[in-house]
């Protein structure tokens, strides 16, 4: 059992919280208003705790960033002390919003949110993963007809091994996890978000992932 904190209270965060809690981990959802979060997610899982984001980052061992990517850097930089020495799993994509509310242009062209987070949080171990799919696939990879791929990017090998274990708890088979290398490789997977709005406009909000075919 691992003590996991999730920063964010939207669909991505609550989906991950439910599956990780069901796998036996102790999970804390960190939001700006813990009381509102608890009320909105009532019945999610009895073992899930609720706290503000600073408390969540300080009191857990592994932290998942599921905050909106276009504001993640500012939010998490403010938690530098709390995140020191911890594994930070970044599942967000940093984009500007298009006119219809779907993802637009990248916030960090030529770089990535994960790289920016690692530079701003040098004492944390940032691992990028699960950002190339719709949120429901993160915890149910077996639901797609074509087996999806979960990509990993990060500088710390032990951190990536730990994250690989958590992916297994979410239902990911080892052969469907692709380690791309250091944190700079996250700019490749983050750029895949550029295809997402076109797919959603064409096919609607149906589960999919950007996968490696062999």
């Amino acid at each position: 059992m691992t003590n996991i904190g999730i920063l964010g209270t939207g669909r991505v965060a609550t989906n991950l919280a439910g599956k990780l809690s069901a796998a036996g981990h102790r999970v804390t959802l960190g939001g700006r208003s813990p009381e509102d979060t608890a009320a909105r997610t009532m019945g999610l899982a009895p073992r899930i705790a609720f706290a503000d984001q600073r408390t969540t980052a300080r009191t857990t061992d592994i932290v998942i960033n599921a905050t909106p990517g276009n504001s993640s850097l500012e939010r998490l930089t403010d938690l530098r002390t709390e995140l020191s020495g911890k594994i930070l799993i970044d599942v967000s994509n940093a984009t500007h919003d298009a006119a219809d509310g779907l993802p637009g242009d990248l916030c960090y062209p030529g770089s990535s949110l994960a790289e920016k987070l690692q530079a701003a949080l040098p004492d944390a171990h940032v691992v990028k993963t699960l950002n190339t799919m719709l949120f429901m696939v993160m915890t149910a990879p077996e639901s797609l007809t074509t087996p999806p791929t979960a990509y990993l990017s990060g500088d710390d090998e032990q951190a990536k091994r730990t994250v690989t274990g958590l992916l297994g708890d979410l239902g990911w088979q080892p052969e469907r996890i692709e380690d791309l290398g250091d944190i700079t490789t996250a700019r490749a997977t983050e750029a895949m978000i550029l295809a997402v709005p076109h797919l959603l406009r064409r096919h609607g909000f149906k589960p999919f992932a950007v996968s490696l075919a062999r």
Side-chain angles (χ1 to χ4, degrees):
M1 180 180 67
T2 304
N3 194 5
I4 300 172
I6 303 178
L7 304 180
T9 58
R11 292 177 296 187
V12 172
T14 55
N15 188 48
L16 289 170
K19 188 65 176 280
L20 288 169
S21 177
H25 298 290
R26 184 182 295 112
V27 178
T28 301
L29 271 176
R32 292 180 172 178
S33 174
E35 295 80 9
D36 289 346
T37 301
R40 287 194 295 108
T41 57
M42 187 175 296
L44 179 64
R47 290 193 300 271
I48 294 176
F50 304 92
D52 61 79
Q53 293 187 349
R54 191 173 301 279
T55 300
T56 299
R58 185 180 68 250
T59 59
T60 56
D61 302 317
I62 295 174
V63 179
I64 299 174
N65 173 40
T67 65
N70 56 9
S71 62
S72 289
L73 184 58
E74 179 181 1
R75 294 184 194 214
L76 272 65
T77 298
D78 189 49
L79 301 175
R80 178 172 176 168
T81 299
E82 289 79 6
L83 293 170
S84 179
K86 299 184 179 182
I87 295 174
L88 175 62
I89 305 173
D90 179 31
V91 303
S92 296
N93 288 303
T95 64
H96 301 289
D97 290 337
D100 57 3
L102 293 176
D105 293 334
L106 298 174
C107 291
Y108 308 112
S111 185
S112 64
L113 172 59
E115 290 173 82
K116 296 290 187 182
L117 288 171
Q118 186 63 85
L121 305 166
D123 297 323
H125 308 295
V126 179
V127 179
K128 188 80 181 192
T129 193
L130 296 178
N131 63 306
T132 55
M133 61 200 71
L134 288 190
F135 74 92
M136 63 284 286
V137 181
M138 294 179 177
T139 58
E142 73 284 353
S143 65
L144 297 186
T145 302
T146 303
T149 303
Y151 303 97
L152 284 178
S153 298
D155 292 337
D156 188 278
E157 295 300 322
Q158 181 57 51
K160 286 193 287 187
R161 284 192 288 272
T162 298
V163 174
T164 296
L166 289 179
L167 290 176
D169 291 339
L170 294 175
W172 291 87
Q173 299 300 316
E175 63 272 15
R176 302 308 307 174
I177 300 172
E178 190 72 25
D179 186 346
L180 296 178
D182 67 25
I183 201 65
T184 65
T185 63
R187 67 184 64 179
T189 57
E190 288 192 26
M192 293 178 185
I193 191 66
L194 296 175
V196 170
H198 306 296
L199 294 170
L200 293 179
R201 292 184 188 109
R202 185 172 180 83
H203 300 291
F205 203 74
K206 297 179 180 178
F208 74 89
V210 181
S211 299
L212 177 64
R214 299 184 187 277

